[in-house]
Amino acid sequence: MRVWVGTGLCLVLLAFFGASSAVAATTSWEWITTTEYPWYAQYYGQTVAGGGPTEPHEYVLANTGESPITIERLSIGWESKAEPHVWTAPGGDCKKGTTIEPGGTCSVDMVFDPLMAGWREGWIRAQAADEQPEQAKVILEAKAVGPWVEPEPERLDFGSVQVGAGPSAIQTITLTDEESLPLKIYGISVTDIYERPESPSPFRVVGGSCREGVVVATSESCTIEVVLEPAKVGSFESKIVIADNAESEQSVLVRGVGVAPPPPSTGSGTVTKSEPDSSVPSPPPSPSAGPPTVSKTGPLVCPKGKRKAVRRGRTVCERRPRHHHHRRSDQRPVAEHMRVGRSR
């Protein structure tokens, strides 16, 4: 006994004014499956994600019409291309170019091989030349199950890290499998907060026991070691995303700040300016040294032949004026008096 899961038999009945009816040659096909599966044979039930492919399910394509049908195209579809081998056909004789005679069949063996947990949908679709008959399609649906694992902690905060000083101290993420199903890790990556690839990133995974291909058994755990090494000043926020077969979300928010390095410190060989010691008085200028400068630390001392004077609010040294002795009008010059005396 076979269970029909496609379109029904298409019949064309021609009749005219009571004349005897005639059945035209028809083209039709349907997907059927064997009775070893329940009535919802297209469903695969629950399968452990990452546990390998299921046993093959056979799907049979039958020519239910009266004319031969040649397969022009046979395609297998799926809901997401993130798992390109979630549905595969490892066997069968339904292929492109196969001709199915009336009443004849061909078959396709399908397996379900999910990597991640969740519902998956797919299909098998056969198309004939000139689309006669219309395509025959059967829907595939199954659920992949996995452990429920939550990373600890939910986020990492690296605080402030100096640019150019090397990586920060290591912070650790832990994954613990407390379910009866194994946790299988496919990879670990650094993304932006929308889980888009981020390269280069100031955050790096530098170690830990969680790696691609690792299987964590029940009651066991693995770790991921992360550092922040900023190349510039600013705030950073990313995600550490774990690809695995868990049913829970596997990502951890990481954040930190890159700060500028401090200014260089003053070394012992650096010459610095110092203020004059006000406790030591300035020596007096020598007479031959020219005009003295005004001292800011003591009283002004003028050299011989000069005196203090205030000019434009400042005390300076200036040359003393010369004194001219004016003769009285009744006095004679000495030379003239001496000449007069001699003449007497």
Side-chain angles (χ1 to χ4, degrees):
M1 177 181 178
R2 289 177 173 176
V3 181
W4 297 85
V5 295
T7 58
L9 179 64
C10 179
L11 298 177
V12 178
L13 182 63
L14 300 178
F16 181 72
F17 294 108
S20 60
S21 60
V23 179
T26 61
T27 56
S28 62
W29 53 1
E30 296 184 29
W31 286 102
I32 61 177
T33 187
T34 59
T35 55
E36 63 180 287
Y37 306 116
W39 67 272
Y40 51 90
Q42 68 269 32
Y43 295 95
Y44 282 65
Q46 291 188 344
T47 303
V48 177
T54 63
E55 292 295 324
H57 286 207
E58 182 187 49
Y59 292 88
V60 176
L61 180 60
N63 185 342
T64 58
E66 299 175 348
S67 300
I69 303 174
T70 299
I71 299 175
E72 184 175 277
R73 184 181 179 187
L74 184 72
S75 59
I76 300 170
W78 50 87
E79 199 174 50
S80 171
K81 293 186 178 181
E83 301 170 287
H85 305 295
V86 65
W87 300 104
T88 56
D93 57 358
C94 284
K95 300 176 182 177
K96 179 180 179 180
T98 299
T99 298
I100 310 173
E101 298 294 334
T105 62
C106 67
S107 65
V108 177
D109 294 333
M110 291 297 302
V111 298
F112 180 48
D113 188 11
L115 297 178
M116 296 175 287
W119 281 98
R120 299 291 186 276
E121 185 178 281
W123 63 84
I124 313 171
R125 182 167 54 202
Q127 291 176 285
D130 301 325
E131 297 185 358
Q132 294 295 328
E134 294 182 355
Q135 66 179 11
K137 180 178 179 181
V138 60
I139 298 297
L140 312 172
E141 189 172 11
K143 182 181 181 180
V145 296
W148 187 275
V149 179
E150 295 182 354
E152 291 288 342
E154 296 181 354
R155 60 175 53 86
L156 298 179
D157 194 338
F158 288 85
S160 298
V161 179
Q162 183 177 310
V163 175
S168 67
I170 292 175
Q171 296 201 39
T172 303
I173 301 168
T174 302
L175 298 177
T176 302
D177 187 1
E178 298 178 354
E179 300 285 332
S180 59
L181 298 175
L183 174 67
K184 187 171 184 178
I185 298 175
Y186 304 124
I188 301 169
S189 60
V190 182
T191 71
D192 63 12
I193 60 174
Y194 302 105
E195 298 191 6
R196 298 174 300 195
E198 183 178 60
S199 180
S201 174
F203 300 96
R204 289 187 291 115
V205 175
V206 295
S209 56
C210 295
R211 296 185 300 274
E212 180 181 354
V214 169
V215 177
V216 182
T218 300
S219 300
E220 294 186 359
S221 61
C222 68
T223 59
I224 304 169
E225 297 177 348
V226 186
V227 297
L228 168 62
E229 187 173 7
K232 60 182 180 180
V233 174
S235 298
F236 305 100
E237 195 172 62
S238 300
K239 276 187 175 182
I240 306 298
V241 176
I242 304 103
D244 55 26
N245 67 333
E247 294 194 35
S248 49
E249 181 182 359
Q250 300 295 294
S251 65
V252 175
L253 184 68
V254 290
R255 58 180 56 169
V257 179
V259 296
S265 59
T266 303
S268 59
T270 304
V271 179
T272 58
K273 294 182 179 181
S274 60
E275 294 295 330
D277 188 356
S278 59
S279 63
V280 181
S282 301
S286 65
S288 60
T293 57
V294 179
S295 173
K296 296 181 180 180
T297 60
L300 179 65
V301 179
C302 294
K304 185 177 180 180
K306 295 188 177 183
R307 67 176 185 179
K308 296 180 182 179
V310 178
R311 295 288 184 267
R312 297 182 180 179
R314 297 179 58 193
T315 303
V316 298
C317 294
E318 66 177 10
R319 188 181 299 275
R320 294 177 180 273
R322 294 182 179 180
H323 298 282
H324 300 279
H325 300 282
H326 299 281
R327 295 174 298 176
R328 293 181 304 198
S329 59
D330 58 344
Q331 291 181 337
R332 295 179 182 177
V334 176
E336 181 181 355
H337 174 75
M338 291 177 64
R339 287 196 300 270
V340 172
R342 290 191 191 100
S343 61
R344 288 179 182 178

